[in-house]
């Protein structure tokens, strides 16, 4: 299930089968994977191997 900040993925139930002798409950487990951060900083190059521009001479 996709969310704005990540994705929920169904991991499975607590058991493959259970005996029915009364009400039963299967418990599902989900895991959340957050999206990678997408912030930008204009003072920092987006490429970590990039070098800053040299200062211009006046």
């Amino acid at each position: 299930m996709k969310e704005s900040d990540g994705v929920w993925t169904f991991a499975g139930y607590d058991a493959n089968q259970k005996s029915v002798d009364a009400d039963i409950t299967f418990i599902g487990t989900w895991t959340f994977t957050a999206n990678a951060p997408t912030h930008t900083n204009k003072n920092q190059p987006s490429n970590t191997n990039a070098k800053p521009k040299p200062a211009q001479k006046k």
Side-chain angles (χ1 to χ4, degrees):
M1 298 181 81
K2 194 170 190 178
E3 298 282 340
S4 62
D5 57 345
V7 176
W8 285 99
T9 304
F10 186 71
Y13 289 106
D14 63 329
N16 290 331
Q17 61 185 8
K18 295 184 180 185
S19 298
V20 180
D21 54 355
D23 290 342
I24 60 170
T25 302
F26 283 88
I27 299 171
T29 302
W30 293 77
T31 56
F32 184 75
T33 304
N35 293 336
T38 58
H39 64 284
T40 58
N41 181 348
K42 292 182 180 180
N43 297 323
Q44 194 173 14
S46 60
N47 180 349
T48 57
N49 295 325
K51 296 181 182 177
K53 280 173 85 172
Q56 292 181 348
K57 294 182 181 181
K58 293 183 180 179

